[in-house]
Amino acid sequence: MNISILKSNPPYFFLAPLAGYTDLPFRSVVKKFGCDMTFSEMINANAIAFENDKTKKMMIKSPFETPYFVQIAVNNIDNMKKTVEIINQKDEIDGIDLNLGCPVNKARRSGYGGILLKNENKEFLKEIVKTLVTVSKKPVSVKMRLGFDEIVAVDRAKMFEDFGVSFLTIHGRTVKQMYKGKANYEEIKKVVESVNIPVIANGDITNYQKAKEVLEYTGASGVAIGRGAVGKPWIFLEMKQKGEITPKQKKEVILEHFNQMIKWYGDYGVILFRKHAHAYSKGIKNASEFRSKINKTEDKNEVINLIEEYFNV
């Protein structure tokens, strides 16, 4: 595929899936303001196979999201097949992303995510990826870490390329590292030099300058930003502008996010927006006062007025 469904030339700027944050409203905002590709939050393939209602809603994309991949976590081949067949019927979904990076204990115990990178799970992982690519009528990508505890990224990347995976997103840490230490771009660079499919670098990218350095060093086709976009979804606008945005642009993004939250969640979006408002207010004048007022209101018009007042340009 060479990410040919993307309309621009590299470098590409992706939003990495992040549970609890990269829901449809958030993805809508970053896509509108410069993000090239979005992915659903990680969804357990077993839940999709059994057509869980909450899961169905998690798969829905916004009108802004093209291209859009659904990210799945797999620990059962038969359920994965059912999931892929369901996704095959959804024309609005452009591809499937396999999660091989989730480091949380629940994922480890359940046998999905980053634990599949362990050498003892290699044969099972082969079966997963071969089957996924064979059954899917859409492009398949993989988001992975460097390994579970030892680095196996080059070996697995070559294997995935041989099986027909379209592109890779690589987080520069092992699963056991969780989010500790610094991302290892040297290992990402080795993967870039070892395969012919696009590689997207992920980990510790928080601004345009950092993205530029990572792209130049690794030779990657793009970067994926997850935690770096929380409280800063305008980071994608910075990528496109190649520099910082204006206060006016920042306020525009915040208001767009709030409006998308209300559109998707209804009045409950006011409450759900609070965690985002707290992140947005870091460093602004009278931030604690703003947070206190946001926490007390359930009126959407008052939230808009507060954003206009405290982010006044």
Side-chain angles (χ1 to χ4, degrees):
M1 179 185 65
N2 285 335
I3 327 187
S4 59
I5 55 175
L6 287 167
K7 296 184 177 71
S8 61
N9 296 319
Y12 303 115
F13 302 109
F14 292 2
L15 175 68
L18 198 61
Y21 284 93
T22 57
D23 57 4
L24 184 145
F26 192 87
R27 299 194 311 266
S28 300
V29 172
V30 299
K31 195 69 176 70
K32 185 174 180 180
F33 290 98
C35 179
D36 291 310
M37 182 181 278
T38 53
F39 301 77
S40 72
E41 294 175 80
M42 183 184 73
I43 306 175
N44 192 314
N46 301 328
I48 299 175
F50 290 105
E51 303 194 59
N52 174 276
D53 287 340
K54 182 181 177 182
T55 300
K56 286 180 182 178
K57 189 169 183 179
M58 287 178 71
M59 292 170 64
I60 297 173
K61 63 180 268 188
S62 82
F64 299 118
E65 292 184 274
T66 300
Y68 169 70
F69 277 40
V70 167
Q71 188 187 76
I72 61 173
V74 175
N75 63 2
N76 180 289
I77 299 288
D78 290 335
N79 285 340
M80 182 189 72
K81 286 181 183 177
K82 292 176 186 176
T83 291
V84 174
E85 287 162 0
I86 289 169
I87 295 175
N88 280 342
Q89 302 306 311
K90 297 183 180 294
D91 293 339
E92 70 276 14
I93 295 173
D94 299 297
I96 299 174
D97 186 60
L98 176 65
N99 182 297
L100 295 179
C102 184
V104 301
N105 287 330
K106 181 182 177 181
R108 296 187 197 188
R109 290 193 301 268
S110 301
Y112 62 81
I115 200 166
L116 291 170
L117 293 172
K118 273 189 165 185
N119 283 323
E120 65 197 61
N121 294 325
K122 187 174 181 180
E123 291 307 311
F124 182 48
L125 180 57
K126 281 183 181 179
E127 188 181 357
I128 288 173
V129 178
K130 284 172 71 175
T131 305
L132 176 55
V133 174
T134 300
V135 177
S136 178
K137 295 179 180 177
K138 304 172 187 290
V140 171
S141 63
V142 169
K143 185 173 190 293
M144 62 185 285
R145 288 200 172 216
L146 298 177
F148 184 79
D149 46 7
E150 60 177 300
I151 295 174
V152 297
V154 169
D155 175 80
R156 299 302 188 272
K158 288 179 177 179
M159 185 175 86
F160 300 150
E161 180 180 32
D162 288 343
F163 291 153
V165 166
S166 296
F167 66 91
L168 304 169
T169 303
I170 303 183
H171 182 104
R173 291 181 176 86
T174 63
V175 174
K176 277 209 165 179
Q177 279 183 271
M178 297 289 285
Y179 296 99
K180 296 175 182 175
K182 294 181 179 179
N184 186 337
Y185 302 123
E186 175 64 31
E187 292 299 328
I188 295 177
K189 181 179 181 180
K190 289 179 184 177
V191 175
V192 171
E193 293 170 348
S194 300
V195 297
N196 294 311
I197 55 175
V199 175
I200 308 299
N202 175 231
D204 298 346
I205 299 165
T206 56
N207 54 48
Y208 169 71
Q209 186 57 39
K210 182 69 172 182
K212 184 171 180 286
E213 291 170 6
V214 171
L215 288 167
E216 289 175 352
Y217 180 74
T218 63
S221 298
V223 295
I225 303 167
R227 291 182 300 158
V230 175
K232 195 180 177 183
W234 48 81
I235 191 170
F236 294 98
L237 195 53
E238 291 181 350
M239 299 293 168
K240 295 299 180 181
Q241 292 183 175
K242 301 182 179 180
E244 291 187 9
I245 65 168
T246 65
K248 184 177 180 181
Q249 288 174 314
K250 183 184 292 187
K251 185 171 76 171
E252 183 184 0
V253 174
I254 295 170
L255 286 169
E256 175 69 19
H257 189 188
F258 179 68
N259 288 330
Q260 289 293 338
M261 292 283 284
I262 297 301
K263 186 176 180 181
W264 183 242
Y265 294 110
D267 290 340
Y268 188 54
V270 174
I271 294 170
L272 292 176
F273 186 71
R274 288 172 183 170
K275 65 181 178 184
H276 296 288
H278 289 196
Y280 290 145
S281 64
K282 286 180 181 176
I284 69 166
K285 187 178 179 181
N286 300 320
S288 59
E289 184 178 276
F290 169 77
R291 291 170 192 163
S292 177
K293 290 179 179 179
I294 282 283
N295 287 343
K296 291 174 182 174
T297 185
E298 294 184 19
D299 184 286
K300 60 185 178 184
N301 292 318
E302 187 175 349
V303 172
I304 292 171
N305 290 336
L306 286 169
I307 293 170
E308 291 282 3
E309 177 185 351
Y310 285 86
F311 293 86
N312 185 33
V313 294

